[in-house]
Amino acid sequence: MARIKRDAKALHERLLVQRGGEPEGPQTRSFATLIKTWRRTQGFKKLKPRTQRGYDFLVGYIEDWSEATGHPDPTKLTKPDIEAFLETFDDRPTSRRLLKVVLKMVMDQAVDLGWRTDNPVERIRMGQPKSRVSIWEAADVEAYAWAAIAVGQPDMAAMILMQWEIGQRLTDAYLFQIGADFLPVEGEFRFEQSKTAEKVAIPVSDRLRAVLAHVSTPGKLYLFHDARTGRPWARLIGNRLEADDTAASKAFALVRDMALTVDGARSLKLKWLRHSCVVQLARAGCTVPEIASITGHSIASVEQILQRYLPRDSTVARNAQVKRGLIQNAG
């Protein structure tokens, strides 16, 4: 109940800011003040509503910590103080990492307001979490696409094949529209990537064109739909349609259960196809900028993915020798 009240208060304050008002309450040197001023920054306002809600959820943990520790003065917090808070999430490494990101942004407000000259969160180092991502291979794609058809989810089969080829953010892919983001006649995706704001045109294979033509039936606005409900993998929040991860995850779970009935099939996640696309493009000999232009990752993100997941195998070695002109490409 306390969390619900806090979330409602945060929403109320955001609405006041959008209407030109000011949040209520004393402007003391506290986390409450920092969080209020952070929500008024252009950086926060420009975030997508989905991202804002995610940050607000994490801020709740920070507010709980502040209350439990007697509302400490953020101008006097030290690195050990913050490390002690983050250590309470050692059993949840993803939450710990995200909390550090949000806490850094909140504490940046203390610097911007002139309360302090440093941000102690910047000096906290966290080791990279152990990778649990498995890279999809061509055989996996075929098995899961077959399974999607078998359970009556042809749009999920199309989604899997599309992600294998162009590796987009799933929250963008769920909302692809026919004739706007995907042009069936040209066999090409044309859209603005959500984070880089780059406009791209990505042609796809004849096979994927045929599959997408099959699911792009007349009268459909969105490219991908759940066969059980007939609705796109999206939900209306206010007056804005956003991707619905829950509905898509349920559909994919049925597909995975069917795929695992095949001998040798691996248990995979749909979101891993994005990293897999990066790896497969690199294996094909694409440069980092070429990969980033397709998947929408930053250059740095592509390099990090390849550093962590790209096998230094015979395929990569052969591509290198072909590029040097030492051998001919068998293909």
Side-chain angles (χ1 to χ4, degrees), residues 203-219:
V204 296
S205 69
D206 289 342
R207 180 193 184 189
L208 182 55
R209 289 180 64 176
V211 171
L212 293 175
H214 176 71
V215 301
S216 303
T217 55

Side-chain angles (χ1 to χ4, degrees), residues 182-225:
F182 175 65
L183 283 63
V185 175
E186 292 83 352
E188 192 171 81
F189 281 90
R190 296 180 189 173
F191 56 92
E192 182 179 288
Q193 290 173 327
S194 61
K195 289 201 174 180
T196 62
E198 293 289 338
K199 294 182 179 180
V200 295
I202 309 173
V204 296
S205 69
D206 289 342
R207 180 193 184 189
L208 182 55
R209 289 180 64 176
V211 171
L212 293 175
H214 176 71
V215 301
S216 303
T217 55
K220 287 174 61 176
L221 174 62
Y222 293 94
L223 190 56
F224 303 110
H225 292 72

Side-chain angles (χ1 to χ4, degrees), residues 33-61:
T33 300
L34 289 180
I35 291 167
K36 289 174 184 177
T37 56
W38 171 54
R39 288 192 176 114
R40 292 200 296 266
T41 62
Q42 287 301 311
F44 186 85
K45 291 178 182 178
K46 289 180 179 178
L47 295 173
K48 291 189 174 182
R50 178 190 182 91
T51 304
Q52 289 182 350
R53 289 196 300 274
Y55 283 169
D56 282 340
F57 177 80
L58 292 166
V59 161
Y61 287 117

Side-chain angles (χ1 to χ4, degrees), residues 109-121:
Q109 290 303 116
V111 177
D112 293 342
L113 292 171
W115 291 3
R116 58 188 301 159
T117 59
D118 69 316
N119 184 340
V121 182

